[in-house]
Amino acid sequence: MPFIDVEDCAVNRPLKGCRMRTPFGERIMLSYLEMEQGAEVPMHTHPHEQAGILLEGKLQLTIGDETRVVGPRDMYIVPGGVPHRAVALDGPVVVLDIFSPIREDYANNQNSYLPTDEGK
């Protein structure tokens, strides 16, 4: 699958207000995340290294004990095991995250590191 149309990817809704598409290869996973205004990915941690770039909108991002508001083209790297959180501000947000190694839970349309949300 060398070329990917995001619209052809299955949609996972891990949390209220969040839609995610996660194509992956052997050792790397992409996560195209759309968040509605006010949607929150609560503080959590996982062993996977995560890097990302904000494509659209404004995001309050906490990595470890540092919080910043990031905008389009801002990038970040979250080392494995470091707590992090994200909140969509002032409208919808689109983020491209990259995980290595792949998150087996996301590959199986589950999440093992985020709290469950019955209101998805």
Side-chain angles (χ1 to χ4, degrees):
M1 158 175 30
F3 297 99
I4 301 162
D5 182 339
V6 71
E7 296 302 323
D8 291 339
C9 296
V11 175
N12 184 8
R13 297 179 187 274
L15 296 164
K16 186 175 182 180
C18 296
R19 291 172 304 286
M20 182 173 59
R21 295 167 172 94
T22 54
F24 58 93
E26 289 183 38
R27 295 181 299 273
I28 197 164
M29 172 178 271
L30 301 175
S31 174
Y32 186 85
L33 175 63
E34 298 168 289
M35 299 174 69
E36 297 172 3
Q37 179 174 334
E40 176 182 356
V41 177
M43 190 68 80
H44 67 287
T45 184
H46 45 73
H48 314 83
E49 190 170 28
Q50 176 179 347
I53 182 169
L54 185 65
L55 301 175
E56 298 175 19
K58 191 187 305 184
L59 189 67
Q60 181 187 54
L61 183 61
T62 300
I63 302 172
D65 56 6
E66 185 176 355
T67 300
R68 291 190 185 184
V69 174
V70 296
R73 299 175 43 160
D74 287 337
M75 295 181 278
Y76 51 89
I77 296 175
V78 182
V82 173
H84 51 289
R85 169 184 184 259
V87 179
L89 304 175
D90 301 332
V93 168
V94 178
V95 176
L96 177 63
D97 280 323
I98 302 159
F99 293 96
S100 180
I102 68 166
R103 287 189 53 165
E104 296 291 344
D105 58 334
Y106 281 2
N108 293 314
N109 281 336
Q110 300 172 351
N111 79 66
S112 299
Y113 305 100
L114 295 172
T116 59
D117 184 352
E118 300 301 323
K120 295 189 248 184

